Amino acid sequence: MTRVFLGWGALMAAIMLVGLLFVGLDDADSLALFGGTVAVMAAIAVVLALAGWGRALHGGVRALPDLSPPTVLLGVAIVLAALGAELGLWLALIGGGLALLAIGGLVREGRAQRRALARARAGARAGREGNSGRLHPAEGYERPEFGSGGRREEAR
Amino acid sequence: MSAAPSVSLRRPTLVELLSATDHKRIGLATTVTALGFFFAGGVLALLMRTELAHSGMQFLDHDAYNQLFTMHGTTMILLFAPPVVMGVATYFVPLQLGAAEIVWPRLALLGYWLYLGGALTVWSGFLTEGGAARWAWFAFLPLSDSASSPGTGGDLWVLGVALSQLGVLLLGCSVMATIVRRRAPGMTLLRMPLFCWSMVATLLMVLVAWPVVLATMALLFIDRNVTDVFTVGGGSITYQNLFWFFAHPLVYVIFFPLVGAVGEVIATFSRRRFFGYRVTVLSLLLFAALSTSVWAHHMFTTQGVNNRFFSLTSTMIAIPAGIEYFAFLGTMWRGRIVLRTPMLFALGFVLLFLIGGLSGVFVASPPLDYHAHDSYVVVAHFHYTLFGGTVFGLFAAIFHWFPKVTGRRLSEALGIWQCALMFVGALLTFVPMFVLGFDGMPRQVADYPAFRDWDGLNLLSTIGAYMLLVAFLLFVVNVLRSRRIGEPAGPDPWGGQTLEWATASPPPRHNFDRLPPVRSYAPLLDLREERSRAERELGEAAGGADARRAPAAREEPAP
């Protein structure tokens, strides 16, 4: 996928160069917008390449949340805080307070997720069979291995 | 934190509905919310068309009319179209990729809530003392500065647009990360379904254009409330550059996903593999690059941009667009076309977008654009691209994927009536606008002089708009009816080609219990072809043995 970002950035750079033939260096707005696009694509490609995130990740064990009320609270908090810019400081403060609560809830969720993941990995290491996806009603989820000829037979 | 790959039979609680991180729930919530805003924006359009049915003021004053066309444009272009395609993508991209979940589900959930909060903020402008914003959906300066348009409604518009588009950006990031990281084994880039590739092209534009609108809205808010930003020097041209750098790709952000969806509908209902897959993928990427390079064609008449360069890039868009049209036609060519409702909408998309696209070639030429600028020609042109392209494509996708989402089919009879009414209604509403525009009728006016003889065409356009209303009401009836008594669909009602049809309808929490091998961009078609090949070989072997035993038996007629 890194190549897609790089290639598309190169395409935008080529169009920018054609634009330079027409506009020269006079139109600063256009040059900044084209240049910014090329820079963003290059930056994404570099990050993906360096972090090794450009390839699809298969298998592995993941713990997933089913619900995330703190995320909803964070969304409401951001909207209220933004509206506070127009309707008054009081609303921005309420939004800020709710955002703090939401962040606390997200931290708690993250810790629970890490614990569930650790348990799921331990379960996977212990060679737990019958991978139906459920490890514990309130813990974690082990992602099924698809199409690898392992525990899952291919559909016919 | 739990997740069993099975369908829950009990009704979800309110907390579960509001805070579920399942991509299907988020995608469905986003799509339904966006459709709600589509209906709200449609009501505003009907009010405007009723006002314009005859010359002479009827029931809206100029100020109310200005608010209505601002909110209609904002709702349709910013609060309906990008969110609805993001909603559909959030639901279907993980399914098409064979993924068990979306990447960063909390980010997607946050995106939905910011979108909803932002959209309600924009609409809350109607509740303020001075009313909603009244500067059209592009908020050009100096009309949108605090001196020309004071009031809370305007500020709420700016904040709401920023929040809602931040939500769209977050949803888009989540979908893009899923495409990068969660493809099933065997799902290489060139085996991704066309819809997923159209989302890649879309999200490349979102990643560069959406941050610009967030910054622009922040600067506009500062300009209105703190200090001059755009109201000095050539600030208004800079604002237009920034806004159109977002808003022109926006048109394609709306359009590309539906090109992908329509491509899949056409392939499925032509019973053929999509023709020219690789060339179409390349053309989508080229299309996206050119679409990000044409924003200033909206500014030809400002004299502030290089018209020759932006005319060149705008005209070049015809090349990738033409490739996609040939791919659609190539897929249908010699296919066994089945004219079900999704296919009818897909054909409507192809025909109506052609009108929008061809009229776009005219206004890509600066001399012709000078003539058509700010007239009803432009209104007709972009309604053919947005209504013909987006809405017909969206309904093709909805009729195609509704059985997957609900487990039940929509009624064919009601669907065909809806499609026919929409097609005739679209022609009746928007063709007169071309004629009115060439005759000089300006857009964004609440009234027009009686002596210009524009009454008849405007009345025709209004009748067409009411036909569209009837079509959309039929759709609502169809959805409500089919949810209760629709024909059960099974996992694959259409003979689909991509992975979402390999799981139950509706899909379980983690999408798949097992996946077929992915060997091309149409894995289910591969399976069917393998199966029919095997059956044929088996039949031939059995037939050969039978022939050796009793040659005369083959001559008996089939029962």
Side-chain angles (χ1 to χ4, degrees):
Chain A
M1 203 63 191
T2 310
R3 281 178 294 176
V4 174
F5 286 103
L6 266 184
W8 199 73
L11 206 52
M12 289 302 298
I15 295 172
M16 182 174 78
L17 287 176
V18 174
L20 275 175
L21 294 177
F22 280 83
V23 201
L25 296 169
D26 297 339
D27 187 353
D29 289 351
S30 300
L31 284 179
L33 291 168
F34 272 121
T37 303
V38 176
V40 166
M41 285 300 121
I44 293 174
V46 167
V47 168
L48 289 183
L50 290 181
W53 291 339
R55 290 176 182 281
L57 187 67
H58 303 308
V61 177
R62 288 190 203 105
L64 298 173
D66 263 355
L67 306 174
S68 183
T71 305
V72 179
L73 190 61
L74 184 62
V76 173
I78 292 172
V79 172
L80 291 181
L83 285 176
E86 175 64 21
L87 302 177
L89 184 62
W90 60 275
L91 195 55
L93 288 173
I94 291 174
L98 289 178
L100 282 177
L101 274 177
I103 289 167
L106 284 172
V107 169
R108 201 161 160 263
E109 263 187 24
R111 286 166 60 189
Q113 194 169 349
R114 276 195 296 278
R115 280 197 304 273
L117 194 60
R119 271 198 292 272
R121 282 185 175 142
R125 270 199 301 274
R128 199 162 167 166
E129 286 302 316
N131 176 18
S132 62
R134 182 181 285 274
L135 293 173
H136 185 276
E139 288 174 6
Y141 171 76
E142 186 180 356
R143 187 173 184 269
E145 296 283 343
F146 291 133
S148 57
R151 284 167 288 183
R152 302 263 155 200
E153 61 172 334
E154 292 177 349
R156 290 291 167 197
Chain B
M1 230 170 290
S2 72
S6 59
V7 184
S8 174
L9 293 176
R10 69 177 175 79
R11 277 182 180 277
T13 63
L14 188 64
V15 175
E16 284 171 347
L17 272 178
L18 297 180
S19 63
T21 54
D22 181 1
H23 71 95
K24 297 182 286 298
R25 286 248 172 96
I26 300 170
L28 196 58
T30 311
T31 306
V32 171
T33 307
L35 283 172
F37 280 103
F38 173 68
F39 278 92
V43 169
L44 301 186
L46 280 176
L47 290 173
M48 286 191 292
R49 282 305 334 159
T50 308
E51 171 62 47
L52 290 171
H54 286 290
S55 54
M57 296 300 285
Q58 283 103 52
F59 64 97
L60 291 173
D61 61 25
H62 287 274
D63 189 51
Y65 188 87
N66 290 348
Q67 290 180 42
L68 289 193
F69 74 67
T70 300
M71 292 300 286
H72 166 71
T74 305
T75 302
M76 292 305 200
I77 296 182
L78 300 173
L79 308 182
F80 155 62
V84 86
V85 294
M86 288 304 162
V88 173
T90 303
Y91 196 107
F92 282 102
V93 163
L95 285 169
Q96 290 204 323
L97 294 175
E101 78 283 327
I102 200 167
V103 174
W104 303 330
R106 290 188 189 92
L107 195 74
L109 182 64
L110 180 62
Y112 168 70
W113 281 96
L114 290 180
Y115 154 59
L116 178 63
L120 291 175
T121 302
V122 171
W123 269 71
S124 67
F126 277 123
L127 304 176
T128 61
E129 196 179 350
R134 49 177 73 74
W135 49 43
W137 70 276
F138 29 76
F140 285 164
L141 286 145
L143 183 59
S144 59
D145 67 18
S146 54
S148 306
S149 302
T152 309
D155 287 333
L156 290 176
W157 185 93
V158 177
L159 289 170
V161 167
L163 286 168
S164 60
Q165 299 317 299
L166 176 61
V168 170
L169 177 63
L170 297 186
L171 281 163
C173 287
S174 190
V175 173
M176 186 58 130
T178 306
I179 293 172
V180 174
R181 295 291 275 170
R182 290 286 188 276
R183 298 191 307 278
M187 179 73 76
T188 59
L189 286 179
L190 283 174
R191 290 178 186 169
M192 285 201 304
L194 194 63
F195 178 67
C196 293
W197 265 113
S198 69
M199 283 311 300
V200 170
T202 300
L203 294 169
L204 288 170
M205 292 188 292
V206 168
L207 288 176
V208 295
W210 259 245
V212 174
V213 77
L214 298 182
T216 309
M217 288 301 121
L219 291 174
L220 183 58
F221 190 82
I222 292 170
D223 191 287
R224 285 175 58 82
N225 292 287
V226 184
T227 182
D228 289 348
V229 178
F230 292 119
T231 42
V232 288
S236 60
I237 295 291
T238 299
Y239 174 85
Q240 286 199 39
N241 265 313
L242 292 173
F243 187 82
W244 286 121
F245 183 77
F246 150 76
H248 194 80
L250 165 70
V251 174
Y252 294 91
V253 163
I254 300 164
F255 172 64
F256 282 166
L258 301 167
V259 168
V262 163
E264 295 201 3
V265 168
I266 288 177
T268 302
F269 289 90
S270 299
R271 301 284 181 254
R272 284 196 68 194
R273 209 168 281 268
F274 190 78
F275 174 81
Y277 168 81
R278 285 181 182 227
V279 179
T280 307
V281 166
L282 283 176
S283 80
L284 276 171
L285 294 174
L286 176 65
F287 208 155
L290 286 170
S291 309
T292 315
S293 316
V294 301
W295 74 88
H297 71 212
H298 295 272
M299 301 162 63
F300 282 157
T301 56
T302 64
Q303 308 281 346
V305 293
N306 189 293
N307 286 4
R308 282 189 305 154
F309 171 64
F310 285 104
S311 175
L312 174 72
T313 50
S314 304
T315 311
M316 279 175 67
I317 278 190
I319 298 169
I323 290 173
E324 281 155 27
Y325 263 77
F326 276 118
F328 287 159
L329 295 177
T331 307
M332 285 186 272
W333 182 255
R334 292 186 181 168
R336 285 179 290 124
I337 295 175
V338 183
L339 285 177
R340 305 298 291 268
T341 319
M343 186 65 172
L344 291 175
F345 275 109
L347 293 175
F349 166 92
V350 171
L351 289 171
L352 290 181
F353 187 77
L354 190 64
I355 300 175
L358 290 178
S359 56
V361 176
F362 285 96
V363 287
S365 162
L368 293 173
D369 183 70
Y370 271 66
H371 175 64
H373 189 76
D374 267 346
S375 76
Y376 258 86
V377 173
V378 178
V379 181
H381 158 65
F382 70 68
H383 276 92
Y384 271 110
T385 53
L386 291 175
F387 189 87
T390 306
V391 180
F392 270 79
L394 179 67
F395 278 110
I398 288 175
F399 273 82
H400 185 55
W401 280 321
F402 186 88
K404 179 52 59 185
V405 175
T406 63
R408 290 181 184 276
R409 293 177 196 232
L410 285 165
S411 156
E412 278 289 307
L414 286 175
I416 289 169
W417 269 105
Q418 182 200 343
C419 186
L421 278 170
M422 268 178 67
F423 192 78
V424 177
L427 290 174
L428 210 55
T429 309
F430 304 122
V431 165
M433 290 183 185
F434 277 122
V435 184
L436 288 166
F438 277 116
D439 202 25
M441 180 166 167
R443 64 173 174 168
Q444 295 163 359
V445 290
D447 200 9
Y448 48 89
F451 67 85
R452 294 302 302 261
D453 278 343
W454 289 336
D455 285 72
L457 286 171
N458 270 301
L459 181 63
L460 214 57
S461 187
T462 302
I463 291 169
Y466 277 91
M467 281 180 77
L468 294 176
L469 170 71
V470 175
F472 297 135
L473 289 177
L474 275 182
F475 171 69
V476 174
V477 170
N478 199 352
V479 169
L480 295 176
R481 179 192 165 279
S482 302
R483 286 280 291 147
R484 294 167 61 89
I485 55 167
E487 182 190 344
D492 185 8
W494 308 121
Q497 302 183 355
T498 41
L499 287 182
E500 74 270 28
W501 303 107
T503 187
S505 304
R509 168 69 174 91
H510 286 279
N511 296 343
F512 299 95
D513 287 333
R514 57 171 68 99
L515 273 179
V518 181
R519 300 197 188 99
S520 77
Y521 57 87
L524 298 198
L525 191 62
D526 293 341
L527 276 186
R528 276 197 294 275
E529 285 174 355
E530 274 174 31
R531 195 179 298 136
S532 63
R533 209 166 28 242
E535 280 169 4
R536 206 167 43 243
E537 285 168 5
L538 207 64
E540 281 170 7
D546 288 347
R548 280 193 295 277
R549 277 199 301 272
R554 277 184 296 169
E555 293 166 13
E556 287 177 13

